[in-house]
Amino acid sequence: MSDIDLSEFRKIMSTGKLVEGQMLKTFHKLSQDALKITMEINNKYHSEEEIVDLFSQLTGYQVDKSFRLFPPFHTDCGKNIKVGKNVFINACCKFQDQGGIEIGDGVLIGHNVTLATLNHDERPQFRQNIYPQPIKIGNNVWIGSNATILAGVTIGDGAIIGANAVVTKDVPQNVIVAGVPAKIMRKVKV
């Protein structure tokens, strides 16, 4: 991977600090690797075991055999995703994971969910610069279809993200959020 190995890439991206042009070669290499694996996942039938193996290749981490994914799935990096046990990702999800995505145990992710871990500099002359921030999803979270989770957001255990919500800030545990931007609607029934 160009001049930066995978562990160094993950370390740099976890800082949340400005990422400039020196990472472009690494980004390109990782995106090409991710495209190869996601094309394999998305363009022919695979058994559950094969999906676990392919997703492990994509992330660079051994994924638990309880993991389930309904293709198609898209990511522009792949190597900064960690998933827990009993995770289900439904069809058409899009992960921009350079900044890091951590998914806890028992998480359900609905159709067409977007997880975006990068922001661009708002100043036009510096717009090519990016700022990575991780997304952390706690245990037993349910993310409804078409939701978007933005960079730097942590979702607490047991939370529910309503369909079509745009989550711009942290979500406490055991609450339901919905809307654009997402707001707390009520506590989860326990």
Side-chain angles (χ1 to χ4, degrees):
M1 171 191 326
S2 55
D3 301 321
I4 300 172
D5 71 12
L6 187 54
S7 63
E8 183 67 14
F9 167 78
R10 289 176 177 149
K11 183 178 174 185
I12 290 167
M13 297 308 285
S14 72
T15 67
K17 295 181 181 173
L18 169 69
V19 175
E20 296 180 279
Q22 76 271 18
M23 292 291 286
L24 291 178
K25 279 185 179 179
T26 302
F27 279 13
H28 181 74
K29 169 75 169 86
L30 290 172
S31 70
Q32 294 305 299
D33 291 346
L35 281 170
K36 286 178 192 173
I37 297 169
T38 56
M39 290 292 285
E40 176 65 26
I41 289 171
N42 296 338
N43 289 301
K44 71 179 194 178
Y45 173 79
H46 293 284
S47 69
E48 292 175 353
E49 295 82 12
E50 290 170 327
I51 290 290
V52 167
D53 182 55
L54 287 164
F55 209 81
S56 296
Q57 290 175 42
L58 178 66
T59 64
Y61 295 108
Q62 181 57 51
V63 174
D64 190 78
K65 65 182 180 179
S66 62
F67 175 77
R68 297 294 175 261
L69 170 74
F70 285 178
F73 173 80
H74 303 280
T75 184
D76 53 3
C77 178
K79 296 295 189 239
N80 218 356
I81 301 170
K82 289 183 184 178
V83 296
K85 296 177 180 176
N86 296 309
V87 169
F88 173 69
I89 300 173
N90 217 325
C92 302
C93 288
K94 298 163 205 75
F95 289 11
Q96 179 196 54
D97 66 285
Q98 287 92 335
I101 294 173
E102 293 180 29
I103 301 171
D105 295 339
V107 172
L108 304 173
I109 300 178
H111 289 94
N112 206 39
V113 167
T114 298
L115 305 179
T117 66
L118 298 178
N119 278 318
H120 289 272
D121 197 307
E122 68 179 55
R123 298 168 295 172
Q125 67 273 30
F126 300 109
R127 188 94 14 106
Q128 298 300 318
N129 294 337
I130 59 169
Y131 296 90
Q133 291 183 296
I135 292 172
K136 296 179 182 178
I137 300 169
N139 296 323
N140 302 308
V141 170
W142 172 19
I143 302 175
S145 295
N146 297 303
T148 298
I149 315 297
L150 297 181
V153 168
T154 296
I155 299 172
D157 293 347
I160 297 173
I161 310 302
N164 294 307
V166 176
V167 183
T168 61
K169 55 187 173 184
D170 291 354
V171 175
Q173 66 181 21
N174 295 316
V175 298
I176 299 171
V177 300
V180 180
K183 292 181 175 37
I184 295 174
M185 307 308 282
R186 65 176 173 86
K187 290 194 176 272
V188 170
K189 295 176 185 175
V190 287

